Amino acid sequence: MYQPQPFVTRLAFKCSDRPEAQEARERLAARYGDVGPENAQVIVALGGDGFMLESLHEAIASQTPIYGMNRGSVGFLMNEYSEDGLLERINAAERAVIHPLAMVAIDARRTQHRALAINEVSLLRQTRQTAKLRISIDGKVRMGELVCDGALLATPAGSTAYNLSAHGPIIPIDGRVLALTPISAFRPRRWRGALLPQSARVTFEILEADKRPVSAVADNFEVRDAMEVHISEDRGTSLAMLFDAGRSLEERVLAEQFSA
C-alpha cells in the first residue's frame, strides 16, 4: 500500500477560500517556490477535508500526489500545519493509494450521468416520502425492497466519513472491501448493511420513483430523479495522498476504531 516517494523539490500550492488557507499559501509559496500543478511533483493542498476531496478530483487526470495541511476544521485527511521543514516532511511521507468508485446514474429521462466518487456514492430521498430501493450485487438481487431515507456505498477511504455517521463500519485502508450501508432503514429495520468485495458491481433500482424520487450523489456530483444507479470500483484510476511518517492514513483509520 505504501511506497517510497521519489525525492521531491517541485511543489504546487493550492488553497481553499478560507482566509487562513490563503495566507498560508502566500507564505509557503514565497518560501518554497510554486511551480504550478502541471510541473509539480507534489501538490500541497491547504484547507479541510472537503478541499482535499476537491483537490483529489482535480488530480485525477495527472494523478499527481497530494500532501494536505489542515487549514480547515476536521482535517482527518490532512497533515498538521507547519511551515518548517516542508520538503523534508514530504520526502519522508508515506503514500496511500486509493481507487475511486465509478457511478453511472440513469435519470427519469433515461439520460446517463457518469461520475467518480472518492468517499462514497449516496442515494438520498428527495421528499418527505421514504425511498424504496432494490439492491443487486453482480446481477443478482440481494434485497428486493429496502425502505429507507437512503443508502450508500463507501470506499475504505470514505468509510470514516458519511458511512460512519450512518453507523456503517470503518474499513482498514488496505481492506479489499466496500461498505454498503443503509441510511435510517425502516424495513427491514434491523438490517445494518453489508461488506462487499472490492470487485462487486452494485446496482440500485429506485422503486415507485414517481412517488418517491431519489437523488444519486457521487461525492459532490448530484443526479436528481435517479431511476437506476450502477457502481463499481475504478481500478484503472489511482490517487495518491501523502501523510507524515508515523501518521499514515492506515494508522488514522485504525485509531478511529478505538476513539470514543
Side-chain angles (χ1 to χ4, degrees):
M1 193 63 178
Y2 297 100
Q3 304 170 356
Q5 175 72 14
F7 189 76
V8 171
T9 58
R10 302 192 310 276
L11 305 178
F13 294 92
K14 57 180 303 183
C15 64
S16 69
D17 57 5
R18 295 173 66 111
E20 56 267 43
Q22 295 178 358
E23 293 168 4
R25 183 191 181 282
E26 290 182 7
R27 293 194 298 270
L28 290 165
R31 182 168 178 178
Y32 294 100
D34 186 358
V35 300
E38 65 280 0
N39 296 314
Q41 293 168 283
V42 169
I43 294 171
V44 179
L46 303 164
D49 286 346
F51 186 68
M52 172 59 90
L53 286 179
E54 178 184 322
S55 300
L56 286 167
H57 276 282
E58 291 177 358
I60 285 174
S62 66
Q63 299 190 24
T64 305
I66 297 181
Y67 178 89
M69 285 201 290
N70 190 18
R71 293 283 83 187
S73 52
V74 178
F76 183 80
L77 298 176
M78 313 300 276
N79 297 288
E80 290 185 7
Y81 180 76
S82 174
E83 296 178 18
D84 296 328
L86 181 57
L87 287 175
E88 290 78 8
R89 290 171 67 189
I90 289 175
N91 280 290
E94 297 178 350
R95 175 185 294 223
V97 178
I98 61 175
H99 303 284
L101 299 174
M103 178 189 80
V104 179
I106 303 172
D107 66 20
R109 296 175 298 279
R110 306 308 297 176
T111 301
Q112 288 192 5
H113 305 266
R114 298 177 181 272
L116 295 178
I118 294 163
N119 269 1
E120 74 279 314
V121 174
S122 306
L123 277 74
L124 306 168
R125 66 183 175 98
Q126 293 178 195
T127 68
R128 61 182 178 81
Q129 294 276 13
T130 56
K132 288 188 176 182
L133 308 175
R134 178 182 294 129
I135 304 173
S136 299
I137 311 297
D138 295 328
K140 181 176 181 178
V141 175
R142 292 292 181 178
M143 182 161 289
E145 183 178 278
L146 172 64
V147 183
C148 56
D149 280 354
L152 61 88
L153 187 69
T155 66
S159 68
T160 58
Y162 192 6
N163 173 71
L164 181 58
S165 296
H167 306 291
I170 296 175
I171 304 172
I173 197 64
D174 57 353
R176 297 179 177 273
V177 294
L178 305 172
L180 173 58
T181 302
I183 302 170
S184 300
F186 178 72
R187 188 179 298 117
R189 192 183 298 272
R190 295 184 182 278
W191 189 61
R192 293 293 180 262
L195 289 174
L196 307 177
Q198 65 180 15
S199 60
R201 293 174 292 108
V202 180
T203 296
F204 292 98
E205 298 171 74
I206 289 73
L207 308 178
E208 301 179 25
D210 291 342
K211 180 181 179 182
R212 304 169 185 274
V214 167
S215 290
V217 184
D219 285 347
N220 60 355
F221 178 84
E222 182 179 15
V223 177
R224 304 280 289 180
D225 300 317
M227 301 291 289
E228 298 174 29
V229 181
H230 305 274
I231 312 165
S232 59
E233 190 177 66
D234 182 0
R235 298 295 296 180
T237 299
S238 298
L239 299 169
M241 291 183 287
L242 303 179
F243 294 91
D244 287 335
R247 290 286 296 154
S248 68
L249 184 57
E250 183 178 29
E251 168 61 26
R252 294 172 193 218
V253 170
L254 181 60
E256 189 73 18
Q257 296 181 75
F258 294 90
S259 63

